[in-house]
Amino acid sequence: MAMFDLNETQKQLYEMAKDFSNKEVWPKAKELDETAKFPMDLLKKTHELGMLNAFVPEEVGGLGLETFGHCLISEALAMGSAGFCTAALANDLASVPVILSENKLVWKEFLAPMVDECLMASYCVTEPGAGSDVAGIKTTAKKVKDKYVINGSKMWITNANYANWFFVLAKTDPAAGHKGMTGFVVPAKTPGVTIGRKEDNMGQRCSDTRGVTFDNVEIPEKYLLGKEGDGFKLAMGAFDRTRPAVAAQCVGLSQRAMMCAIDYAKQRSAFGKVISENQGISFMIAEMARDIEAARLLVWKAGVEVDEGRKNTYFASLAKMFAADACMRITTDAVQIFGGYGYNKEYPVEMLMRDAKIFQIFEGTSQIQRLIVGRLLLGN
Ligand code: CO8
Ligand code: FAD
C-alpha cells in the first residue's frame, strides 16, 4: 500500500466521497445544525453509494473495507458535515467488536442485513459514572440458564434512537476488573431497553446522542461475543480501527475550515488591502495547512499499520490526539480570521468550531490518548 499517494481504487473512492460531500452534504450543513434533525435521508444516500456499513465482512455480503479506505470516506464526509459523518461512523464503531469476535451467527443475523438496508447500530460502553475509565463501568450481565440478563445504564450513546441493535459492554464477573467484562449484541427492541431523550449538544447537533437503560433485559447466550471475559479487549480493539477514522474526520473538518478562511481572507479588506496580504493572517493559514497535512499522514500511517496486521494502538492514539487538537486550533483560527463575522451564525465557521470540540472528548479524550502513548513509550 502506498504511503504518500493513493492507488487508483483509493483515489476513486476518495473522489466519489468528496463529490457527494461537496454537492449533497455541505449545502445542508447549516440546516442540519439549526434543526438538529437526524440526517436519515443523507445516510440512505450514503448507503446507496456503498459508503455506509462498508466494514461488513465480504463473507456475509459486505464490502469488507479496510481501515485505510474507511478513513478516506470519513475525511471526505466530515468535510461536508462532521455531525452527519459521526452518525455514519457510529455504525462502524458498533460493528467492529462484532467483527473482531468472529461470532459468525451474529455476523449473519446483525451485520448481513446492514448491507442491503440502511440499518443503524450503536456502541454502548460509556456510563453516567464512567467514560475514560472503561473498566469502571457498572452494567452487569448475569447468566440465567441459557440466557443473559443485563442491567445498567449507558450514557452518550450515538445513534441510540435509530439503532436496530447495540454492542453492549457489561460485567459478567464484577470482581475481576477488566478481565470480568463481556461484550453482547442486544436487539434494540428487546423488552427492558429504554432510550432516553436526545441530548442538547454544543456541536455536531444532527447526530443523535442519548442514554440507554437496560432493565432486566434478557438475551440468548448466542449473542455473547467471543467468550466471557473477552469484552474489554473487543471494546479496545475496536478503537484501533475507529480512532484513525475519527482522526480522519478531524482532517476533513479542518480542511473545510481552512477553505472558508482562505476564501474570506482573500475578499475582506482592512487598512486599504485584503487581509490575506497581512503576514499575520497568512501565517495562520500556513499553520493550518501544516497541521492538516501532518494529521493526514498520521491517519494514513495508523490505517496502514492495522490493515497490514500490525498492532497500531500507538499510531491510532497519536493520530486521534494530533488531529483532534489541530482541528480545535484550526477552527478557532478560522473564526479569528472572520473577525466579528466569525462569531455569528450567518457564517459557517462558528459551527465548525463547535463541531470540532467533541473530537477532543469522544473516542477517548485528548488526555486519554496522551495516557495511552505515554504508557506505551514509558512502559508504565
Ligand atoms: N487492544 C487490545 N487490548 C488492549 C488494548 C487494545 N487497543 N488496549 C488495552 N488492551 C488490553 C491490555 O493489553 C490489558 O490486557 P491484559 O489484561 O491482558 O494485560 C487490558 O486491556 C487492560 O489494559 P489497561 O491496563 O491499559 O486498562 P486501563 O483500565 O488502565 O485503561 C484505557 C485503558 C486505555 C484508559 C481505556 O480505558 C480507554 O481507552 N479509555 C477511553 C475510553 C474511550 O475511548 N471511550 C470512547 C467511547 S465510544 C465514543 O466515544 C463514540 C464516539 C462517537 C461515535 C461515532 C464515531 C465518530
Ligand atoms: P471523564 O472520564 O469523567 O473525564 C473528565 C475529564 O478528566 C476529561 O477531560 C478527561 O480527559 C480527564 N481525565 C480522566 N481520566 C484522566 C487521566 N487518567 N489522566 C488525565 N486526565 C483524565 N460513548 C459510547 O460508549 N458510545 C458512544 O456512541 C458515544 N458517543 C458520544 C457522543 C457524544 C456527543 C459525547 C459527548 C460522548 C460520547 N460518548 C460515547 C462518551 C465519550 O466517549 C465520553 O464522554 C468520553 O470518553 C469521556 O468520558 P467522560 O465524559 O465520562 O469524562
mmCIF file of all heavy atoms in Angstrom, residues 51 77 127 157 188 224 249 306 342:
data_model
loop_
_atom_site.group_PDB
_atom_site.id
_atom_site.type_symbol
_atom_site.label_atom_id
_atom_site.label_comp_id
_atom_site.label_asym_id
_atom_site.label_seq_id
_atom_site.Cartn_x
_atom_site.Cartn_y
_atom_site.Cartn_z
ATOM 1 N N MET A 51 -21.086 3.518 0.862
ATOM 2 C CA MET A 51 -20.110 4.085 1.799
ATOM 3 C C MET A 51 -20.537 3.935 3.255
ATOM 4 O O MET A 51 -19.805 4.286 4.151
ATOM 5 C CB MET A 51 -19.868 5.566 1.484
ATOM 6 C CG MET A 51 -19.210 5.766 0.125
ATOM 7 S SD MET A 51 -18.712 7.471 -0.141
ATOM 8 C CE MET A 51 -20.275 8.298 -0.190
ATOM 9 N N LEU A 77 -16.475 12.806 4.069
ATOM 10 C CA LEU A 77 -17.826 13.101 4.575
ATOM 11 C C LEU A 77 -17.798 14.208 5.627
ATOM 12 O O LEU A 77 -18.705 15.041 5.673
ATOM 13 C CB LEU A 77 -18.479 11.840 5.160
ATOM 14 C CG LEU A 77 -18.777 10.690 4.184
ATOM 15 C CD1 LEU A 77 -19.578 9.595 4.893
ATOM 16 C CD2 LEU A 77 -19.520 11.147 2.928
ATOM 17 N N GLU A 127 -20.858 5.074 30.580
ATOM 18 C CA GLU A 127 -21.974 5.124 31.532
ATOM 19 C C GLU A 127 -21.982 6.494 32.214
ATOM 20 O O GLU A 127 -20.977 7.224 32.154
ATOM 21 C CB GLU A 127 -21.814 4.007 32.567
ATOM 22 C CG GLU A 127 -21.846 2.640 31.890
ATOM 23 C CD GLU A 127 -21.875 1.467 32.853
ATOM 24 O OE1 GLU A 127 -21.784 1.683 34.081
ATOM 25 O OE2 GLU A 127 -22.009 0.333 32.354
ATOM 26 N N ILE A 157 -24.860 7.793 24.054
ATOM 27 C CA ILE A 157 -24.782 6.762 23.021
ATOM 28 C C ILE A 157 -25.231 7.313 21.657
ATOM 29 O O ILE A 157 -26.402 7.686 21.469
ATOM 30 C CB ILE A 157 -25.600 5.507 23.427
ATOM 31 C CG1 ILE A 157 -25.116 5.003 24.803
ATOM 32 C CG2 ILE A 157 -25.506 4.424 22.355
ATOM 33 C CD1 ILE A 157 -23.600 4.757 24.935
ATOM 34 N N ALA A 188 -32.379 -3.733 19.616
ATOM 35 C CA ALA A 188 -32.921 -2.530 20.265
ATOM 36 C C ALA A 188 -34.339 -2.732 20.779
ATOM 37 O O ALA A 188 -34.751 -2.089 21.740
ATOM 38 C CB ALA A 188 -32.872 -1.360 19.288
ATOM 39 N N LEU A 224 -23.647 -13.520 22.842
ATOM 40 C CA LEU A 224 -22.398 -13.197 23.531
ATOM 41 C C LEU A 224 -21.271 -13.175 22.480
ATOM 42 O O LEU A 224 -21.221 -14.040 21.595
ATOM 43 C CB LEU A 224 -22.128 -14.261 24.594
ATOM 44 C CG LEU A 224 -20.908 -14.103 25.502
ATOM 45 C CD1 LEU A 224 -21.166 -14.860 26.812
ATOM 46 C CD2 LEU A 224 -19.639 -14.642 24.879
ATOM 47 N N GLN A 249 -11.851 12.298 10.326
ATOM 48 C CA GLN A 249 -12.943 13.275 10.393
ATOM 49 C C GLN A 249 -12.397 14.656 10.744
ATOM 50 O O GLN A 249 -12.841 15.665 10.194
ATOM 51 C CB GLN A 249 -13.901 12.882 11.523
ATOM 52 C CG GLN A 249 -15.116 12.111 11.112
ATOM 53 C CD GLN A 249 -16.093 12.024 12.288
ATOM 54 O OE1 GLN A 249 -15.832 11.295 13.232
ATOM 55 N NE2 GLN A 249 -17.189 12.720 12.229
ATOM 56 N N VAL A 306 -2.719 -1.114 10.867
ATOM 57 C CA VAL A 306 -3.714 -2.114 11.275
ATOM 58 C C VAL A 306 -4.145 -2.968 10.081
ATOM 59 O O VAL A 306 -4.346 -4.179 10.207
ATOM 60 C CB VAL A 306 -4.921 -1.464 12.018
ATOM 61 C CG1 VAL A 306 -5.814 -0.668 11.093
ATOM 62 C CG2 VAL A 306 -5.733 -2.526 12.761
ATOM 63 N N GLY A 342 -17.104 35.958 12.201
ATOM 64 C CA GLY A 342 -16.824 34.577 12.567
ATOM 65 C C GLY A 342 -17.591 34.121 13.793
ATOM 66 O O GLY A 342 -17.851 32.936 13.980
#
